[in-house]
Amino acid sequence: MDGADAPQPARSGSGVTACSTSTALGRMNGGANASNNAAAAMEERFADVCKRKLVLDESTTRQAMQLFKETKIILLSSMSSLGSGSPEEIERSWCACVLYCVSKLGNAGKAKEDRGITLRQILRAFDLKIVDFFKEMPQFCIKVGFILTGLYGSDWEKRLELQELQANLVHLCSLGRHYRRAYQELFLLNDGKPANNSSELNVQQASEYYDFGWLLFLVLRNQASSAVKNLLTSTTELVSVLAVLIIHIPVRLRNFSIEDSSCFAKKSDKGVNLIASLCERYLTSEDELSKALQKTNILIKDILKKKPCSDVSECQQGSLSFIDPATLFFDAEGLTFFKNFLEEDSLKSSLQVLEKEYVNGLDTKGELDARMFANDEDSLLGSGSLSGGALKLPGTKRKYDDVMASPTKSTASRAPMSPPRFCPSPNGNSFCNSKMAPFTPVSTAMTTAKWLRSTISPLPSKPSGELLRFFSACDKDVTDDIICRAAIILGAIFTGSSFGERMCTSLRNTSGMDAIWTEQRKMEALKLYYRVLESMCRAESQILSGSNLTSLLSNERFHRCMIACSAELVLATHKTVTMMFPAVLEKTGITAFDLSKVIESFVRHEDSLPRELKRHLNSLEERLLESMAWEKGSSMYNSLIVARPTLSAEINRLGLLAEPMPSLDAIAVHHDISLGGLPPLPFHKQPDKDEVRSPKRACTERRNVLVDNSFRSPVKDVIKSKFLPPLQSAFASPTRPNPAAGGETCAETGIGVFLSKITKLAAIRIKCLCERLQLSQQILERVYSLVQQIISQQTALFFNRHIDQIILCCIYGVAKISQLALTFKEIIFSYRKQSQCKPQVFRSVYVNWPSRSRSGVKLHLVLIVQENRRGPC
């Protein structure tokens, strides 16, 4: 070794030798070169897929390459992210996300026939399953959101319509499996093995009939506007297709005999009433099924150019035998027979026409090709949950364990969920041999719809006499205010531009049938609101021993929460593709914390609520508690600043306080809601001195906290009662004293209830995760004790964070202190198996550096997350 290469003594204070410096620089240069080479190789592979596999046009390729180049640095840094998979998997997922964004955002102004590629093509090109794609796409959007804003504008997230696509995927998967099950019960199975009395030709024809039925349904479904596209309507349309198949598919391919089958229960001496029988079997209404059949018949006439049969005598022979002729129509208005519709010579041509119609009508701007869902293409569909359990693909195991129940489990009796009935068959054929229908998204949706149809729809759309008496018994009659408010808020949710904002299509351009659908849903929500409100008023009056409920019935926030809850249940029942939670919060001007105050009372005061809807509200409450109530702009902070004055500085520094609710007239103007025939808008007083300040303003005194303008003085109520009923105290001004709680403010009472729910939810999740990790009872108790202390003493740790982030860090911290051989990656691996798991929880962590001190529990927990996102520990 010559002198130049010999190590030199370190300079005083430098701590680094010349050799080590050059070595470090060499490694840095080598690392940079390796990184550049890797990036270049990725870019080359991506370009090859765009040009060779997908054969994209020049414009789409250029946009895709631009987005990939601008995000590849983030891609390289993501290779070491915790729990992201192998580098190859990360690269394929990233490339698919890039192309999906370009297909949805980068084709504005192009002709429809030139619009990019479908999601199905993207997934096939990169060998990805749909479930995996939807797990990665939210993370991709979080990481490159600022780049997408620069390229496509600030509204890119709304235009991407990822949530709508995700819901549409779940619905199509449910409908595909529902159709496959129903078809196999009704007709010959397409398993490649002909039955003893069938030929290979029959099996091939059975396959073509199967494909025809699904394709007919897809074309029918695509004719509906996306504003009203929902699982209930789609299921009814699917049943109408089954009715068409039953009377047109040759008898030799049937798996049943109408005259012998007890499953067609609605019959007379003239024959089977097929429509009524199918309605009873699939829990739909005859009116809705008749409307769906009319649409199906029009499609067959206009697209397939088939004419209804006008010869009544033909109803007594062939596939129409034993069907009541009185239930058949010859003008395409109901159950209609089309002569030579599905005969061998016309089946193939009809398939080709439908195929062409579907392809032409398929919006290729990133949409799914729904033909694959009838064939259960597992290579694309995969299995598992979407969004970490927020949406689940049908067929995956559902957990009904009590341990996962709501942290505020209602004492109300649970309404049983009646599945569609599968009757025993005297001859043992497969159509009627099932013991019980499985709990599927379709069956549960139809069950809850039956409750809505039979229990809520018959109610009047105006307040009952008893409810009007409660309104008039207030210090000032609030009838007009309540009726007007309901019209405005429900109008903002169901009509005007609300649906249009979510899906880039205004309801003003939809058909009359779509407008009727939205008006029906609006009425259902209104009737449910009045029904539950009356039950609540009755209970509150018993507590107060009087009918003057001024404090509650004049509270603006309370009514908006009630209307939002009612509308959410209606939307959840119909399972709309658009307007999914938390859209109702935005439309009503309330926050997640506000809604959490009424969920338990709503369930308790509606005994007939189906179990599935109770579960829906329970799941919403968990979402509200775990993260949404802790987000910036939550009204929870307006109460917390009163209950915990020591946190006011931190809350103000982070700008967490909620803005005041938008006024009713502002909502009416924003959504262009006409008030013709309605009473004038409720009178709004000038802001009180206790009204909350904007998050942009400082709020250091207790008096600077939100109080609803319409809330009455508590003096009269206190005189009449020794304590405030729970609902009235929950929606009272945060600074208002609560006599029932030993003189503490309503904010202190409300925050105490809220934090007790958080503690219970944390206990449930700690128990589940510790048991999965096989940790001892002692460790479990230590973790729970630590979380309890953070909730009570270090509440600020929850600000802008998810409760599971705190739990994960506590488990890791206790394990390290207890000297357990447990890594953070092992904890994450087990956490991924939890039903509530979301990748965002451990991939996107809010980091808040305090201005004065970087020590203590807060820094410790944040550093744990930060450190373990970089690699193994």
Coordinates of all heavy atoms in Angstrom, one line a residue, residues 341-384:
F341 N -87.5 -16.3 -29.2 CA -86.6 -15.4 -28.6 C -85.2 -16.0 -28.3 O -84.2 -15.6 -28.7 CB -87.2 -14.8 -27.3 CG -86.2 -13.9 -26.5 CD1 -85.3 -13.1 -27.2 CD2 -86.2 -13.9 -25.1 CE1 -84.4 -12.3 -26.4 CE2 -85.4 -13.1 -24.4 CZ -84.5 -12.3 -25.0
L342 N -85.3 -17.2 -27.6 CA -84.0 -17.9 -27.3 C -84.0 -19.3 -27.9 O -83.5 -20.2 -27.3 CB -83.9 -18.0 -25.8 CG -83.7 -16.7 -25.0 CD1 -83.5 -16.9 -23.5 CD2 -82.4 -15.9 -25.6
E343 N -84.5 -19.4 -29.1 CA -84.4 -20.7 -29.8 C -82.9 -20.8 -30.3 O -82.2 -19.8 -30.4 CB -85.3 -20.7 -31.0 CG -86.8 -20.7 -30.6 CD -87.2 -21.8 -29.7 OE1 -86.7 -23.0 -29.9 OE2 -88.0 -21.7 -28.8
E344 N -82.5 -22.0 -30.7 CA -81.1 -22.3 -31.1 C -80.7 -21.4 -32.2 O -79.5 -20.9 -32.2 CB -81.0 -23.7 -31.5 CG -81.3 -24.7 -30.3 CD -81.2 -26.2 -30.8 OE1 -80.7 -26.4 -31.9 OE2 -81.6 -27.0 -30.1
D345 N -81.5 -21.1 -33.1 CA -81.1 -20.3 -34.3 C -80.9 -18.8 -34.0 O -80.2 -18.1 -34.7 CB -82.1 -20.4 -35.5 CG -83.5 -20.1 -35.0 OD1 -83.8 -20.0 -33.8 OD2 -84.3 -19.9 -35.9
S346 N -81.5 -18.3 -32.9 CA -81.5 -16.9 -32.6 C -80.6 -16.6 -31.4 O -80.3 -15.4 -31.1 CB -82.9 -16.3 -32.4 OG -83.5 -16.9 -31.2
L347 N -80.2 -17.6 -30.6 CA -79.5 -17.4 -29.4 C -78.1 -16.8 -29.6 O -77.7 -15.8 -29.0 CB -79.3 -18.7 -28.6 CG -78.5 -18.6 -27.3 CD1 -79.1 -17.7 -26.3 CD2 -78.3 -20.0 -26.7
K348 N -77.4 -17.3 -30.6 CA -76.0 -16.8 -30.9 C -76.1 -15.4 -31.4 O -75.3 -14.5 -31.0 CB -75.3 -17.7 -31.9 CG -75.0 -19.1 -31.4 CD -74.2 -19.9 -32.4 CE -73.8 -21.3 -31.9 NZ -73.0 -21.2 -30.7
S349 N -77.0 -15.1 -32.3 CA -77.1 -13.7 -32.8 C -77.5 -12.8 -31.7 O -77.0 -11.6 -31.7 CB -78.1 -13.7 -34.0 OG -79.4 -14.0 -33.5
S350 N -78.4 -13.2 -30.8 CA -78.8 -12.3 -29.7 C -77.6 -12.0 -28.8 O -77.4 -10.9 -28.3 CB -79.9 -12.9 -28.9 OG -81.1 -13.0 -29.7
L351 N -76.8 -13.1 -28.6 CA -75.6 -12.9 -27.8 C -74.6 -11.9 -28.4 O -74.1 -11.0 -27.7 CB -74.8 -14.2 -27.6 CG -75.1 -15.1 -26.3 CD1 -74.5 -16.4 -26.4 CD2 -74.7 -14.3 -25.1
Q352 N -74.5 -12.0 -29.7 CA -73.6 -11.1 -30.4 C -74.1 -9.6 -30.3 O -73.3 -8.7 -30.1 CB -73.4 -11.5 -31.9 CG -72.7 -12.8 -32.0 CD -72.7 -13.3 -33.5 OE1 -73.4 -12.7 -34.3 NE2 -72.0 -14.4 -33.7
V353 N -75.4 -9.4 -30.5 CA -75.9 -8.1 -30.4 C -75.7 -7.5 -29.0 O -75.4 -6.3 -28.9 CB -77.4 -8.1 -30.8 CG1 -78.1 -6.8 -30.5 CG2 -77.6 -8.5 -32.2
L354 N -76.0 -8.3 -28.0 CA -75.8 -7.8 -26.6 C -74.4 -7.5 -26.3 O -74.1 -6.5 -25.6 CB -76.4 -8.8 -25.6 CG -77.9 -8.9 -25.4 CD1 -78.2 -10.0 -24.4 CD2 -78.4 -7.6 -25.0
E355 N -73.5 -8.4 -26.8 CA -72.1 -8.2 -26.6 C -71.6 -6.8 -27.2 O -70.9 -6.0 -26.5 CB -71.3 -9.3 -27.2 CG -69.8 -9.3 -26.9 CD -69.5 -10.1 -25.6 OE1 -70.3 -10.9 -25.2 OE2 -68.4 -9.9 -25.1
K356 N -72.1 -6.6 -28.4 CA -71.7 -5.3 -29.1 C -72.3 -4.1 -28.3 O -71.6 -3.1 -28.1 CB -72.2 -5.4 -30.5 CG -71.9 -4.1 -31.3 CD -72.3 -4.2 -32.7 CE -72.0 -3.0 -33.5 NZ -72.5 -3.1 -34.9
E357 N -73.6 -4.3 -27.9 CA -74.2 -3.2 -27.1 C -73.5 -2.9 -25.8 O -73.3 -1.7 -25.5 CB -75.7 -3.6 -26.9 CG -76.5 -2.5 -26.1 CD -76.8 -1.3 -26.9 OE1 -76.7 -1.4 -28.2 OE2 -77.1 -0.2 -26.3
Y358 N -73.1 -3.9 -25.1 CA -72.4 -3.7 -23.9 C -71.0 -3.1 -24.1 O -70.6 -2.1 -23.4 CB -72.2 -5.0 -23.1 CG -71.4 -4.9 -21.8 CD1 -72.1 -4.3 -20.7 CD2 -70.1 -5.3 -21.7 CE1 -71.4 -4.1 -19.5 CE2 -69.4 -5.1 -20.5 CZ -70.1 -4.6 -19.4 OH -69.4 -4.4 -18.3
V359 N -70.3 -3.5 -25.1 CA -68.9 -3.0 -25.3 C -69.0 -1.5 -25.8 O -68.2 -0.7 -25.3 CB -68.2 -3.8 -26.4 CG1 -66.9 -3.1 -26.8 CG2 -67.9 -5.2 -25.9
N360 N -70.0 -1.2 -26.6 CA -70.2 0.2 -27.0 C -70.6 1.1 -25.9 O -70.3 2.2 -25.8 CB -71.3 0.2 -28.1 CG -70.8 -0.4 -29.4 OD1 -69.6 -0.5 -29.7 ND2 -71.7 -0.7 -30.3
G361 N -71.4 0.5 -24.9 CA -71.8 1.3 -23.8 C -70.9 1.4 -22.7 O -71.1 2.1 -21.7
L362 N -69.8 0.5 -22.7 CA -68.9 0.5 -21.6 C -68.0 1.7 -21.6 O -67.3 2.0 -22.6 CB -68.0 -0.8 -21.7 CG -67.0 -1.0 -20.6 CD1 -67.7 -1.2 -19.3 CD2 -66.1 -2.2 -20.9
D363 N -68.1 2.5 -20.6 CA -67.2 3.6 -20.4 C -65.8 3.1 -20.1 O -65.5 2.7 -19.0 CB -67.7 4.6 -19.3 CG -66.8 5.8 -19.3 OD1 -65.9 6.0 -20.1 OD2 -67.1 6.6 -18.4
T364 N -64.9 3.2 -21.0 CA -63.6 2.6 -20.8 C -62.6 3.5 -20.1 O -61.5 3.2 -20.0 CB -62.9 2.3 -22.2 OG1 -62.9 3.5 -23.0 CG2 -63.8 1.3 -23.0
K365 N -63.2 4.6 -19.5 CA -62.3 5.5 -18.8 C -62.0 4.9 -17.4 O -62.4 5.4 -16.3 CB -63.0 6.8 -18.6 CG -62.1 8.0 -19.0 CD -62.8 9.3 -18.9 CE -63.0 9.8 -17.5 NZ -63.5 11.2 -17.5
G366 N -61.3 3.8 -17.4 CA -60.9 3.2 -16.1 C -61.9 2.3 -15.5 O -61.7 1.8 -14.4
E367 N -63.1 2.1 -16.1 CA -64.2 1.3 -15.5 C -63.9 -0.2 -15.6 O -63.0 -0.7 -16.4 CB -65.5 1.6 -16.3 CG -66.0 3.0 -16.0 CD -66.5 3.2 -14.6 OE1 -66.7 2.2 -13.9 OE2 -66.7 4.3 -14.2
L368 N -64.6 -0.9 -14.8 CA -64.5 -2.4 -14.8 C -65.3 -3.0 -15.9 O -66.4 -2.5 -16.2 CB -65.0 -3.0 -13.4 CG -64.2 -2.7 -12.2 CD1 -65.0 -3.0 -11.0 CD2 -62.9 -3.5 -12.2
D369 N -64.8 -4.1 -16.5 CA -65.5 -4.9 -17.4 C -66.3 -5.9 -16.6 O -65.7 -6.9 -16.2 CB -64.6 -5.5 -18.5 CG -65.3 -6.2 -19.6 OD1 -66.5 -6.5 -19.4 OD2 -64.7 -6.5 -20.6
A370 N -67.6 -5.7 -16.5 CA -68.3 -6.6 -15.5 C -68.6 -8.0 -16.0 O -69.2 -8.8 -15.3 CB -69.6 -5.9 -15.2
R371 N -68.2 -8.3 -17.3 CA -68.5 -9.6 -17.8 C -67.8 -10.7 -17.0 O -68.2 -11.8 -16.9 CB -68.1 -9.7 -19.3 CG -69.1 -8.9 -20.2 CD -68.6 -8.9 -21.6 NE -67.4 -8.0 -21.7 CZ -66.8 -7.7 -22.9 NH1 -67.3 -8.3 -24.0 NH2 -65.8 -6.9 -22.9
M372 N -66.7 -10.3 -16.4 CA -65.8 -11.3 -15.7 C -66.5 -11.8 -14.4 O -66.2 -12.9 -13.9 CB -64.5 -10.7 -15.4 CG -64.5 -9.6 -14.4 SD -62.8 -9.0 -14.1 CE -63.2 -7.5 -13.1
F373 N -67.4 -11.0 -13.8 CA -68.0 -11.3 -12.5 C -68.9 -12.6 -12.5 O -69.1 -13.2 -11.5 CB -68.7 -10.1 -11.9 CG -67.8 -9.0 -11.5 CD1 -67.5 -8.0 -12.4 CD2 -67.1 -9.1 -10.3 CE1 -66.7 -7.0 -12.1 CE2 -66.2 -8.1 -10.0 CZ -66.0 -7.0 -10.8
A374 N -69.5 -12.9 -13.7 CA -70.4 -14.0 -13.7 C -69.6 -15.3 -13.8 O -70.0 -16.4 -13.5 CB -71.3 -13.9 -14.9
N375 N -68.3 -15.2 -14.3 CA -67.5 -16.4 -14.4 C -66.5 -16.6 -13.3 O -65.7 -17.6 -13.3 CB -66.7 -16.3 -15.8 CG -67.6 -16.2 -17.0 OD1 -68.6 -16.9 -17.0 ND2 -67.3 -15.4 -17.9
D376 N -66.6 -15.7 -12.3 CA -65.8 -15.8 -11.1 C -64.3 -16.0 -11.4 O -63.6 -17.0 -11.1 CB -66.2 -17.0 -10.2 CG -65.7 -16.9 -8.8 OD1 -65.3 -15.8 -8.4 OD2 -65.8 -17.9 -8.1
E377 N -63.8 -15.1 -12.2 CA -62.4 -15.2 -12.6 C -61.5 -14.8 -11.4 O -61.1 -13.7 -11.2 CB -62.1 -14.2 -13.8 CG -62.8 -14.5 -15.0 CD -62.5 -13.6 -16.2 OE1 -61.4 -13.0 -16.1 OE2 -63.3 -13.4 -17.1
D378 N -61.1 -15.9 -10.7 CA -60.3 -15.7 -9.5 C -58.9 -15.1 -9.8 O -58.3 -14.5 -8.9 CB -60.2 -17.0 -8.7 CG -61.5 -17.5 -8.1 OD1 -62.3 -16.6 -7.8 OD2 -61.6 -18.7 -7.9
S379 N -58.5 -15.3 -11.0 CA -57.1 -14.7 -11.3 C -57.1 -13.2 -11.3 O -56.1 -12.6 -11.0 CB -56.8 -15.2 -12.8 OG -57.7 -14.7 -13.7
L380 N -58.3 -12.6 -11.4 CA -58.4 -11.2 -11.3 C -59.1 -10.7 -10.0 O -58.7 -9.8 -9.4 CB -59.2 -10.6 -12.4 CG -58.5 -10.2 -13.7 CD1 -59.4 -9.6 -14.7 CD2 -57.3 -9.3 -13.5
L381 N -60.1 -11.5 -9.6 CA -60.9 -11.0 -8.4 C -60.1 -11.2 -7.1 O -60.1 -10.3 -6.3 CB -62.2 -11.8 -8.3 CG -63.2 -11.6 -9.5 CD1 -64.4 -12.4 -9.3 CD2 -63.6 -10.1 -9.5
G382 N -59.5 -12.3 -6.9 CA -58.8 -12.6 -5.7 C -59.8 -12.8 -4.6 O -61.0 -13.0 -4.8
S383 N -59.4 -12.7 -3.3 CA -60.2 -12.8 -2.2 C -59.7 -12.0 -1.1 O -58.6 -11.6 -1.1 CB -60.3 -14.3 -1.7 OG -59.0 -14.7 -1.3
G384 N -60.6 -11.6 -0.1 CA -60.2 -10.8 1.0 C -61.0 -9.5 1.0 O -62.1 -9.5 0.5

